[in-house]
Amino acid sequence: MSEFDLIARIRARFPSPPAPELGIGDDGALLVPRPGHLLAVSTDSLLAGVHFRAEDPPADVGHKAAAVNLSDLAAMAAEPAACLLALSLPGADAGWLDGFLDGLGALARRHGMALVGGDTTRGPLAVTLTVLGWVPSGQALRRDAARPGDEVWVTGTLGDAAAALALGEAADPWLLARLRRPEPRCAAGLALRGLAHAAIDLSDGLLGDLGHVLAASGCGADLELAALPASPALCAAVPEAETRWRYQLCGGDDYELAFTAPPERREAVRAALAAQGVAATRIGRIDQRPGLRLQRPDGRLWPPPARAWQHFADPP
Ligand code: ADP
Ligand code: MG
C-alpha cells in the first residue's frame, strides 16, 4: 500500500461533513465558524516506546489518542467539533491502521468529532492528533482563573491508572481499563460552563497539574488527603494510605478534571455534574498563600511527594 492507499483507507471511514464544509481530500479542510464562539485548539502526540508500546492493541492506541485530546477540550469547556491526524508509520500495515481507526473513530463519533484531515508519513510509530472545539466567548475554563476562597474539586476517582501501571497485567481489569481506555470528561466540562472558575485535565498527576493552575492564577491551595476520591478497586489493590496518596497525587493518566468554584456554587456544581452522571469531590480550598499544602487525616502536614511526570526531567 502507498501513502495514498492509506489515506484513501482513512477517508473511506471518515466521510466529509455536509457542504459547505469539507473534510479529507483537498489541500485543507473547510469548517464553518460558529458565531459568538471561540475556537479551542489543542494537540497531543503519542509515541511508541514513550506513551505506548508498539505491540499494544492498536484500538487502545487509537482510543487513547482521541481520549487525551478530547480531555484537553473538556478542560476548556469546549464542545468537540473536528480533528486532524498526523500519522508516522514504520510500514503500510493495514491491520494496525484499521484497529487504530476503530478505537479512534468510536470515541470520536461518540463525542461528535469529525476527522477532517491530517498527514501520513513513514517513520517511527507515532500519532499526533489536533482537536478543534467551540466554546462560547467568555465561557472557556482557563488555568489562570482560580481565586482565593474557591473550593478545589475533582471529577471521578484518582490514582487508578497509576496503580494499573504499577501492578501491570496482574491489576484488576477495571483498573487496567482506566489506564488503557480513559473516558474524557467532555460532558462534565460543558456542564461546568458558568459555574467553575479554573479547570485543568489531570494527565500528569494532580500535584503537577493543579500546580499549573496555582502558578497561572497566582495563588496556593490547601488539600485534604482524606478527601482524595479513591475507587473501591484502588483501595483493594493498594491498602496502604500513603502509597495510595502517592498514586493519586503523582500518577499520570487519570484524565479527570480538577477545577475550582466559589463555595456558594457548591450545590449547583454538584447538581450539574450529577445530571451528567459524573461524581465530583471537594478536596480543598484555594488560598492567597502560594504553594500546595497537603493535610493528613490527623491534621499534620504531609510533605509533597516527588513531582508529577515530566518529559526532559533531570534523572533522579
Ligand atoms: P498535501 O500534499 O496537500 O499535504 P496530503 O497528500 O498529505 O496532501 O493529504 C491529502 C489529503 O488527505 C489531505 O486532505 C489531508 O488532510 C488528508 N490526510 C492525509 N493524511 C491523513 C491522515 N493520517 N488522517 C486524515 N487525513 C489525512
Ligand atoms: Mg500532507
Side-chain angles (χ1 to χ4, degrees):
M1 276 203 305
S2 72
E3 174 192 335
F4 298 109
D5 296 329
L6 289 170
I7 296 174
R9 210 171 175 93
I10 298 170
R11 186 179 180 181
R13 300 183 48 165
F14 293 90
S16 231
E21 298 200 315
L22 188 60
I24 296 171
D26 210 308
D27 293 312
L30 296 172
L31 302 175
V32 176
R34 208 181 270 187
H37 288 64
L38 297 182
L39 183 62
V41 184
S42 181
T43 194
D44 257 317
S45 299
L46 298 186
L47 281 68
V50 180
H51 303 92
F52 67 95
R53 294 167 302 185
E55 64 272 21
D56 283 347
D60 284 354
V61 180
H63 176 100
K64 199 147 184 178
V68 304
N69 278 281
L70 284 164
S71 180
D72 283 316
L73 290 182
M76 300 297 291
E79 185 186 326
C83 63
L84 298 134
L85 171 65
L87 266 180
S88 166
L89 301 172
D93 181 343
W96 193 92
L97 180 65
D98 286 347
F100 172 83
L101 296 175
D102 286 343
L104 183 139
L107 191 59
R109 264 185 283 280
R110 259 206 284 135
H111 290 279
M113 181 169 73
L115 176 63
V116 297
D119 196 30
T120 304
T121 52
R122 181 191 294 245
L125 183 59
V127 178
T128 299
L129 199 69
T130 302
V131 289
L132 313 171
W134 299 113
V135 58
S137 282
Q139 290 197 34
L141 301 177
R142 301 166 46 131
R143 295 181 180 186
D144 61 4
R147 315 214 184 108
D150 279 1
E151 294 175 319
V152 181
W153 297 71
V154 291
T155 59
T157 56
L158 303 180
D160 301 315
L165 194 62
L167 297 169
E169 292 303 325
D172 174 279
W174 186 87
L175 288 179
L176 281 171
R178 290 276 289 156
L179 176 66
R180 293 176 183 165
R181 295 274 176 150
E183 281 296 329
R185 293 297 193 182
C186 294
L190 298 189
L192 290 170
R193 285 179 182 169
L195 291 175
H197 279 159
I200 190 166
D201 72 313
L202 300 178
S203 51
D204 300 331
L206 179 68
L207 268 194
D209 290 327
L210 184 61
H212 296 316
V213 170
L214 300 179
S217 300
C219 45
D222 297 281
L223 301 188
E224 278 178 48
L225 291 165
L228 297 177
S231 65
L234 178 70
C235 294
V238 186
E240 213 240 325
E242 295 209 359
T243 309
R244 229 168 31 232
W245 295 338
R246 264 187 212 99
Y247 287 150
Q248 295 181 294
L249 293 165
C250 305
D253 279 352
D254 282 322
Y255 300 104
E256 295 293 345
L257 298 180
F259 61 95
T260 80
E264 60 273 18
R265 293 190 189 149
R266 195 182 291 169
E267 285 320 310
V269 164
R270 208 184 292 288
L273 293 180
Q276 303 303 324
V278 176
T281 310
R282 281 180 300 124
I283 60 168
R285 200 177 260 275
I286 300 290
D287 193 83
Q288 260 171 352
R289 190 154 62 101
L292 193 56
R293 294 158 294 276
L294 305 172
Q295 200 169 74
R296 298 169 47 101
D298 61 14
R300 285 188 296 141
L301 287 185
W302 201 53
R307 300 252 295 287
W309 168 255
Q310 239 198 72
H311 294 272
F312 307 111
D314 294 330

